[in-house]
Amino acid sequence: MKTAFTLTGITNFTIQLTGWVFFIGVPLYTHPHAFLQHPGRLTDFILRHLVLIAFFYINYFYLIPVVLKRSRLRKYFVAVVVLFALTFIVQNVIEYSIMPMQDERISFKSFIALIQLYAISTSLRMLTDFIHETRRKKMLEHEKMTVELAFLRSQINPHFLFNTLNNINSLIHINPDAAQKAIVRLSTIMRYMLNTATKEKITLEKELEYIGNYIELQRLRVPAGFSLTYTCMADNTGALIEPLLLIGFIENAFKHARSDNPTDFIQIKIELHNGKLLLETANPAHRSKKT
């Protein structure tokens, strides 16, 4: 569904403007003679309705989003009662100042109008907030899915995959046993990234197994004289870790080391001591002529 009705922006403004036009315009349209016969009645009508509009938006913009959501229900109830009382008093002051001979039933009608406006103001605000929150949750879920997918795709490095497959292809004729082991390692890595790495926490043992398989596959593409050292001193203690937390540093070590240079080296060391995990990677830095 590409479009949806939402009480936000221009739609919300249009609904409220239409409501006020009907609320103010209908009495003026249906009883024009009453306002013409009593000159002060129009002034009284306008001032009292301005007070009602203020009452509506104080509840809509302040009491519900600020007092109710940031404080307790008791404070909001007290604030609503005070707002009702002040609005009713101001309306009556305006009414009896301009139209002192007005029928007493007008005061009762004003109180009914206050209750109606309060119900509309509260309902509209709650509905608007509900739609905003629903849209926000959908956006967050969509962003989360997008980030997770992008993260997953970034981990499946196509160059690493293609290079590994080429190396395995070369090993098939030279050393079939090594080629078979490499295929098992590659399938284990792919299974890990697609299934295990999607969890929030995994055991350190599984993460180290993944790293070990990755390093062993990288050995296939480095020359015989290349120095690649991997030391792991982390006992199986059942420790938990976020998946794929370490691999980025190890990938960078291989990325920036030149495998065609026999003097280059890569050193990787992982230790677990007293509940602290230490990762050390080292490789030579090459100056680039590029800016």
Side-chain angles (χ1 to χ4, degrees):
M1 197 172 172
K2 294 184 179 180
T3 58
F5 177 78
T6 57
L7 293 179
T8 57
I10 189 66
T11 304
N12 196 359
F13 174 78
T14 304
I15 291 175
Q16 294 186 36
L17 180 61
T18 304
W20 289 122
V21 169
F22 275 95
F23 184 72
I24 298 175
V26 169
L28 293 174
Y29 180 79
T30 55
H31 302 89
H33 299 290
F35 295 98
L36 294 175
Q37 292 175 358
H38 302 279
R41 188 183 292 273
L42 181 60
T43 303
D44 172 72
F45 177 85
I46 293 175
L47 290 177
R48 286 193 297 109
H49 277 72
L50 288 177
V51 174
L52 291 176
I53 292 174
F55 168 84
F56 181 96
Y57 285 112
I58 289 175
N59 181 61
Y60 184 88
F61 284 116
Y62 180 74
L63 293 187
I64 295 178
V66 178
V67 179
L68 180 59
K69 292 189 176 181
R70 298 181 184 178
S71 304
R72 295 182 179 179
L73 183 61
R74 183 182 302 175
K75 290 184 178 180
Y76 173 75
F77 178 77
V78 173
V80 169
V81 172
V82 172
L83 181 61
F84 259 94
L86 289 177
T87 305
F88 188 75
I89 292 172
V90 171
Q91 277 207 308
N92 279 273
V93 169
I94 294 173
E95 177 182 327
Y96 290 114
S97 298
I98 300 176
M99 304 289 293
M101 303 302 294
Q102 192 71 276
D103 192 343
E104 291 182 359
R105 289 179 297 177
I106 300 298
S107 298
F108 177 76
K109 292 181 179 179
S110 298
F111 185 76
I112 296 299
L114 280 177
I115 295 177
Q116 292 173 344
L117 282 178
Y118 172 76
I120 295 173
S121 174
T122 303
S123 301
L124 185 60
R125 183 73 207 196
M126 292 296 186
L127 181 59
T128 303
D129 291 346
F130 173 77
I131 294 174
H132 270 291
E133 184 65 18
T134 302
R135 292 184 64 195
R136 188 184 70 85
K137 288 182 179 180
K138 288 183 178 180
M139 290 178 62
L140 288 176
E141 290 175 359
H142 177 72
E143 290 175 359
K144 181 181 178 182
M145 290 177 61
T146 303
V147 170
E148 288 178 348
L149 182 59
F151 179 74
L152 182 60
R153 287 175 176 173
S154 67
Q155 297 306 315
I156 305 175
N157 191 323
H159 297 289
F160 166 74
L161 180 60
F162 293 144
N163 290 335
T164 303
L165 290 174
N166 288 331
N167 292 330
I168 292 175
N169 183 51
S170 301
L171 281 175
I172 290 176
H173 303 287
I174 303 173
N175 191 341
D177 292 336
Q180 184 177 4
K181 291 180 181 179
I183 292 175
V184 173
R185 292 184 188 277
L186 182 60
S187 64
T188 304
I189 285 178
M190 299 300 293
R191 189 181 304 109
Y192 174 87
M193 289 190 292
L194 293 173
N195 297 326
T196 308
T198 58
K199 299 178 181 178
E200 184 178 356
K201 295 274 189 178
I202 60 170
T203 61
L204 179 60
E205 181 185 12
K206 291 187 182 228
E207 182 75 3
L208 294 178
E209 180 185 3
Y210 162 67
I211 291 174
N213 287 327
Y214 176 86
I215 293 174
E216 291 304 315
L217 288 178
Q218 288 286 14
R219 288 185 188 275
L220 299 177
R221 72 178 187 88
V222 298
F226 189 89
S227 177
L228 173 57
T229 306
Y230 172 50
T231 306
C232 181
M233 293 181 289
D235 296 331
N236 182 18
T237 59
L240 298 178
I241 188 174
E242 288 80 1
L244 304 174
L245 185 64
L246 309 177
I247 191 63
F249 300 99
I250 297 173
E251 284 180 341
N252 281 335
F254 285 97
K255 178 180 178 181
H256 296 290
R258 294 172 53 182
S259 59
D260 59 344
N261 189 346
T263 62
D264 272 11
F265 65 91
I266 294 177
Q267 295 176 355
I268 302 170
K269 182 179 180 181
I270 300 177
E271 288 184 354
L272 180 64
H273 183 66
N274 293 332
K276 293 183 179 181
L277 186 65
L278 174 66
L279 167 67
E280 292 183 0
T281 61
N283 61 275
H286 298 281
R287 292 188 178 184
S288 174
K289 294 182 180 180
K290 296 181 181 180
T291 303

